[in-house]
Amino acid sequence: MTDSASGAGFGLDHLPYGVFSVDGGPRRIGVRHGDSVLDLAFETGRPELAAASLNPFLALGPQTWSEVRAEARALLEEGAETTPLDEVDLHLPFEVADYVDFYASEHHATNVGRLFRPDGDALLPNWKHLPVGYHGRAGTVVASGTPVVRPSGQRGPGDVGPTRRLDLEAELGFVVGAASRLGEPVPAEAFADHVFGVVGLNDWSARDLQAWEYVPLGPFLGKTFATSISHWVTPLAALDAAWCDLPGQDPRPADYLAPDTARGLDLAVEVEIDGTVVSRPPYRSTYWGPAQMLAHLTVNGASLRTGDLFGSGTISGAGAPGHAEVGSLLELYGGERFLDDGSTVVLRYSAPSTDGGRLTLGEVSGAVTPAP
Ligand code: MN
């Protein structure tokens, strides 16, 4: 178990949810407090928490989420027994239903547009009118710590082999709890009625596969080999102090994207490779906010399912490629340097907390193993 460096930031104002087991026993749901786990299934007796994934609990919606959070807090305040993190195994926290990844950072889209299309406009004409996204592969979303095998595929015409351009994308993932009905768009204002919380997310990317395959239907095998998420899901209820204004949207987006009330989240991200922090992307710099992405995802009447996951898109702050606020190596090194076999990537996240301190969100780690 590697996600236990420090309990700081895991106080009573945070209480993220995860799925754990002890000595190969049954999986159950717990909340993290400091460097320990409270067994919510045992302590509350709630059947939805004696489950191998968060899904049954997520499906019950905001009223239950808030009741269980209050119960967890009360149990810890009363001194309920907890299990040290180093005595538990952590698992993928929820069964991923559909997985969609957006492309919502203007700085990232501009940097990548320049690198992929040096002779064209960096931003395509639709980019400031809608949050661009693509469908990823739900079945290859893996928990932090899962090794990532270097993918092989078409690197160009007649050129098949292991990727030479394996990259990371530092992102935030939004976890849908309560479902919606087919044919009924979910307005941006209903974000907290459906979205339960957030996870750290690394959208591993093979840039040579991606650059060859992405026209005209978007990313495919250059992305679907693995997407890593944190063990811990931070509920939106712990992020009340993190909401912030977006940098500004011009031209004014369509009404269903709620341009007058759209907000962002002031989360700080840290990208570490083999023990060295190489970049610190700020999520407050995102162009499209999370509620706008949710409204866009459902504007056509597509329904939400419990366990749906949507990614923020690579988080990159201001500045050209090479700037240490970018969320990918493509941008950091201008296409000159990527991940080696044996390298370990760790993404760390923090946010302002309601008590004036900072929350540490669950980290996302993954080591690259050689192509078979
Ligand atoms: Mn991505």
Side-chain angles (χ1 to χ4, degrees), residues 191-250:
F191 181 76
D193 297 337
H194 293 276
V195 172
F196 172 75
V198 305
V199 288
L201 188 151
N202 185 349
D203 176 25
W204 303 92
S205 300
R207 300 299 183 193
D208 37 8
L209 278 56
Q210 182 187 350
W212 171 232
E213 76 181 357
Y214 89 104
V215 182
L217 292 184
F220 190 27
L221 303 178
K223 300 280 194 173
T224 56
F225 54 95
T227 306
S228 301
I229 62 170
S230 57
H231 291 123
W232 298 106
V233 184
T234 294
L236 284 185
L239 293 174
D240 283 346
W243 291 99
C244 63
D245 290 333
L246 293 170
Q249 300 181 318
D250 183 23

Side-chain angles (χ1 to χ4, degrees), residues 99 101-103 108 134 169 171 201 203 205 223 312-314:
Y99 165 49
D101 193 26
F102 283 94
Y103 191 52
H108 173 70
Y134 68 93
E169 290 191 344
E171 306 197 14
L201 188 151
D203 176 25
S205 300
K223 300 280 194 173
S312 60
T314 307

